[in-house]
Amino acid sequence: SSRVLWTLAVTQFGCAVTTMLAIVCRTLTPISAILPDGVDGAGTEFYLNLNMGHKMFETVSVDFVHAFNDAPGWQYIPMLVTLGNFCLNGPIFLIFKMFSKLALE
């Protein structure tokens, strides 16, 4: 039916967007930056790990998600996309799908 196709399209679009964001953040954003002298203090380092593009956030206390923290991008990005799309976003998507199905009935 058209609802099933729409659901699949939205899901695939969401996976594509999160994959592209992870690749762009890994490619274009350094993990940290040091401000030059005279700008908000000399040599202040800022942590810039946007969208977990380089490694998982340090505040996450689940050990297995940190297994690829020091891996190169070609290993880390597939793990991030798999973990992010299927383990983190997947259950939320199913909950929203269930509620939307109930609302349409």
Side-chain angles (χ1 to χ4, degrees), residues 26 47 49 51-72 75-89:
R26 175 73 179 220
Y47 187 63
N49 187 23
N51 285 338
M52 298 182 294
H54 292 276
K55 61 183 183 177
M56 287 291 170
F57 295 132
E58 295 170 357
T59 56
V60 176
S61 60
V62 181
D63 290 335
F64 77 90
V65 299
H66 296 282
F68 287 86
N69 274 356
D70 296 321
Q75 292 175 342
Y76 175 75
I77 296 296
M79 185 280 306
L80 174 65
V81 168
T82 302
L83 182 70
N85 285 328
F86 299 112
C87 298
L88 300 176
N89 294 337

